[in-house]
């Protein structure tokens, strides 16, 4: 295992994911994920079935509720990134207009996968099949390091806040009838999670609010809820690692083990997300 940056990311060699993982390898990889948040395996030969088989060694894969036509119909656990190009067309918009109305900026591009679920996945497995010669990078940030970098008074305050996670945050609706707004009203997914969570295995606090899904902090004054839910993800990110964004992914679901009773701060509900977000 070779660390890729100071705060996040490591490359793991000597492993053939398609050949199957023994228990010792699974334990070592899981420990690396907990320590480095993101791990990379180069020169792997995985098809969809092998991709899902790897995921099953770490938990039961999540089956996305709705996928595009680019995703393999026979493998419901896998969603391809090409589906993202179809999203605007579903609601009568060209892809460029879709991106513009979602108001993606350098900050708003950061997200945790399926963060609006009441049971967010523990991790995501991204497989790169077609890698561009430049650009198109996926970038990760260590949200445990972001939380640790907050001042003590700010940490004491945000420890008690909760954030609402829902789809469509920041979307600028079209004049008149907007098919995407109607979709959100009919199929909205939203949940309330602590702004800061403690990982049940590492005991580390971690910011859980992200710009593309978090809209407000219920129970907190409006004048303070926005800035406080923003402070964790708007700080200067720690040195990050990059990987090509093209490919397919399958998610590992969260478990049911709560945080250790010895965790000093704070005491959240069940949570097993390793502690990273993606842009």
């Amino acid at each position: 295992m070779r660390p890729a940056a100071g705060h996040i990311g490591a490359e793991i060699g000597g492993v053939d994911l398609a050949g199957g993982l023994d228990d010792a390898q699974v334990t070592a990889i899981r420990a690396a994920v907990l320590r480095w948040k993101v791990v990379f395996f180069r020169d792997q030969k995985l098809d969809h079935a092998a991709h899902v088989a790897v995921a099953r060694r770490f938990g039961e894969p999540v089956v996305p509720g709705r996928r595009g036509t680019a995703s393999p119909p026979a493998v419901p656990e896998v969603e391809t990134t090409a589906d993202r190009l179809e999203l605007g067309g579903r609601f009568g918009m060209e892809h460029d207009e879709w991106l513009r109305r979602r108001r993606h900026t350098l900050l708003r591009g950061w997200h945790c996968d399926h963060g609006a679920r009441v049971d967010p996945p523990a991790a995501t497995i991204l497989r790169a099949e077609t890698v561009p010669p430049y650009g198109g990078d996926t970038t990760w940030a260590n949200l445990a390091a972001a939380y640790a970098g907050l001042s003590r008074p700010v940490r004491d305050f945000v420890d008690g806040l909760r954030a609402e996670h829902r789809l469509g945050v920041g979307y600028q609706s079209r004049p008149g009838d907007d098919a995407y707004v109607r979709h959100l009203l009919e199929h909205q997914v939203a949940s309330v999670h602590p702004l800061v969570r403690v990982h049940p295995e590492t005991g580390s606090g971690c910011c859980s609010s992200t710009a593309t899904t978090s809209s407000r902090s219920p129970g907190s004054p409006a004048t303070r809820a926005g800035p406080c839910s923003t402070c964790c993800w708007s700080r200067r990110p720690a040195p990050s690692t990059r990987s090509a964004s093209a490919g397919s992914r399958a998610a590992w679901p969260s478990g049911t083990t709560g945080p250790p009773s010895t965790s000093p701060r704070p005491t959240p509900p069940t949570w097993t997300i390793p502690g990273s977000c993606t842009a």
Side-chain angles (χ1 to χ4, degrees), residues 104-248:
H104 270 226
T105 66
L106 290 176
L107 286 181
R108 295 199 63 81
W110 293 95
H111 67 283
C112 297
D113 288 344
H114 298 278
R117 292 173 57 120
V118 69
D119 57 343
T124 298
I125 305 176
L126 178 66
R127 180 171 102 244
E129 290 187 335
T130 304
V131 181
Y134 59 89
D137 295 330
T138 293
T139 305
W140 287 268
N142 186 331
L143 297 186
Y147 173 73
L150 298 174
S151 68
R152 173 65 66 171
V154 173
R155 273 189 286 166
D156 288 342
F157 181 66
V158 299
D159 281 351
L161 294 180
R162 300 171 70 83
E164 180 186 74
H165 297 245
R166 60 182 174 85
L167 299 178
V169 172
Y171 175 74
Q172 183 179 5
S173 62
R174 307 174 90 188
D177 181 54
D178 189 314
Y180 182 59
V181 171
R182 284 191 281 106
H183 169 78
L184 290 176
L185 293 175
E186 295 170 4
H187 306 283
Q188 182 59 274
V189 176
S191 59
V192 176
H193 295 294
L195 185 63
V196 177
R197 295 173 174 176
V198 172
H199 194 280
E201 295 176 79
T202 67
S204 298
C206 175
C207 300
S208 67
S209 180
T210 56
T212 54
T213 57
S214 302
S215 60
R216 63 189 181 92
S217 297
S220 179
T223 55
R224 292 186 293 174
C228 288
S229 63
T230 298
C231 68
C232 289
W233 53 260
S234 64
R235 291 176 52 81
R236 181 181 301 276
S240 58
T241 55
R242 293 174 179 267
S243 173
S245 61
S248 307

